[in-house]
Amino acid sequence: MFYTIGQRKKWERVLYIVLPILSVALVVLAYAVVQMRLPLLLPDAGEMWARFLKTFTNPIKEVNLIGHIWASLRRVLIALLFAWTLGISFGVMIGWNRTCKALFGSIFELFRPIPPIAWIPIIIMWFGIGEFPKVLIVFVGSVIPVVINTEAGIRMVEKEYIDVGRVFGAKRSQLLMEFVVPTALPSIFAGVRTSVSCAWTVVLAAEMLGADHGVGALVTRGWNAGDMALVFVSIICIGIIGAILAFILNKLERVVCPWNN
């Protein structure tokens, strides 16, 4: 049986819609099978739903689940705002200017391999366990991938693009802003997307070590109380928020970099 190009594209669109749904269904099915075999380790769907509702009827620390999610999300968004601004600026600087690369590149390479979690004890000792330390920890964890991808994107710009600009008499600053940075945008967005997942990981670790509000604090509370339903409700919320942020960034990239789609 032969298909026209239009029919083939139609089936491909259907397939790309079905496959994500199928993958989620398989994960849910695998969880259900494991839960039936190990009921003491994993809560069932009914328990998690009841615990989800309880977070609204009986708020933890006088804050419901939405409030805890917003507490974590606020820390992440503030840290990402600074991480994207400073990370992209620093990445462009060391990727475009050889002097800056020689001066600051070695320092960056020294700090880059250090896991963000390793900074948590130091930051807590210096600044305590308030809001600023948590935001700072998230910033440290999310700025590295932005710098790495931005620098790589700047350095990977083909020399021909720069030569074309020079032929038309563009100054060095014009070459950077009108030729190099736009060409490097896909790589920069790759770093931005990675920074979001890093930020979520780090903020949860920071909240688990000391916080009254936040999804990480809920995970710690559930763990200490043996409330696995609360732990899994928190984990599911983390996954959903992370997926929503990734979806938003993907749509934004399509708008800013339409040529890369």
Side-chain angles (χ1 to χ4, degrees), residues 92-109:
V92 170
M93 184 177 67
I94 62 176
W96 178 247
N97 191 294
R98 291 185 177 181
T99 303
C100 292
K101 174 67 175 178
L103 184 61
F104 301 109
S106 57
I107 299 175
F108 175 73
E109 292 298 328

Side-chain angles (χ1 to χ4, degrees), residues 192-237:
V192 167
R193 288 197 303 269
T194 305
S195 70
V196 172
S197 60
C198 292
W200 265 116
T201 303
V202 177
V203 75
L204 295 172
E207 290 173 347
M208 289 174 69
L209 290 177
D212 291 329
H213 304 134
V215 185
L218 294 184
V219 173
T220 302
R221 183 183 179 90
W223 177 30
N224 293 334
D227 188 351
M228 291 303 296
L230 178 59
V231 172
F232 274 89
V233 167
S234 304
I235 290 173
I236 292 171
C237 290

Side-chain angles (χ1 to χ4, degrees), residues 11-244:
W11 279 109
E12 286 180 353
R13 286 196 297 267
V14 173
L15 182 65
Y16 292 146
I17 293 174
V18 172
L19 285 178
I21 299 174
L22 180 62
S23 64
V24 173
L26 289 175
V27 171
V28 173
L29 178 63
Y31 180 92
V33 171
V34 175
Q35 194 280 326
M36 286 189 294
R37 293 180 177 273
L38 301 170
L40 296 179
L41 295 181
L42 299 176
D44 60 29
E47 289 180 78
M48 288 191 287
W49 178 249
R51 194 65 184 87
F52 170 77
L53 296 177
K54 191 177 179 181
T55 60
F56 294 96
T57 59
N58 187 20
I60 299 172
K61 295 288 184 178
E62 301 182 353
V63 177
N64 62 27
L65 180 60
I66 301 300
H68 286 285
I69 292 174
W70 172 242
S72 296
L73 190 59
R74 184 179 65 248
R75 292 166 184 145
V76 167
L77 292 177
I78 293 173
L80 285 176
L81 178 63
F82 286 98
W84 293 344
T85 302
L86 299 179
I88 293 174
S89 300
F90 186 71
V92 170
M93 184 177 67
I94 62 176
W96 178 247
N97 191 294
R98 291 185 177 181
T99 303
C100 292
K101 174 67 175 178
L103 184 61
F104 301 109
S106 57
I107 299 175
F108 175 73
E109 292 298 328
L110 177 65
F111 284 97
R112 187 178 75 170
I114 302 175
I117 306 298
W119 293 103
I120 292 179
I122 299 174
I123 292 176
I124 290 177
M125 284 190 296
W126 286 352
F127 302 104
I129 56 174
E131 279 299 303
F132 174 73
K134 294 179 181 62
V135 174
L136 180 59
I137 291 170
V138 178
F139 168 80
V140 171
S142 57
V143 72
I144 300 295
V146 179
V147 175
I148 293 173
N149 282 272
T150 301
E151 181 192 4
I154 296 296
R155 289 188 172 277
M156 289 173 60
V157 174
E158 296 182 8
K159 189 174 181 297
E160 287 77 8
Y161 291 104
I162 301 175
D163 291 339
V164 169
R166 286 173 176 162
V167 167
F168 285 95
K171 298 179 181 179
R172 186 171 174 80
S173 59
Q174 291 175 317
L175 289 174
L176 176 62
M177 299 307 299
E178 297 179 17
F179 290 87
V180 177
V181 171
T183 306
L185 277 178
S187 181
I188 294 174
F189 264 96
V192 167
R193 288 197 303 269
T194 305
S195 70
V196 172
S197 60
C198 292
W200 265 116
T201 303
V202 177
V203 75
L204 295 172
E207 290 173 347
M208 289 174 69
L209 290 177
D212 291 329
H213 304 134
V215 185
L218 294 184
V219 173
T220 302
R221 183 183 179 90
W223 177 30
N224 293 334
D227 188 351
M228 291 303 296
L230 178 59
V231 172
F232 274 89
V233 167
S234 304
I235 290 173
I236 292 171
C237 290
I238 293 166
I240 292 174
I241 298 300
I244 292 174

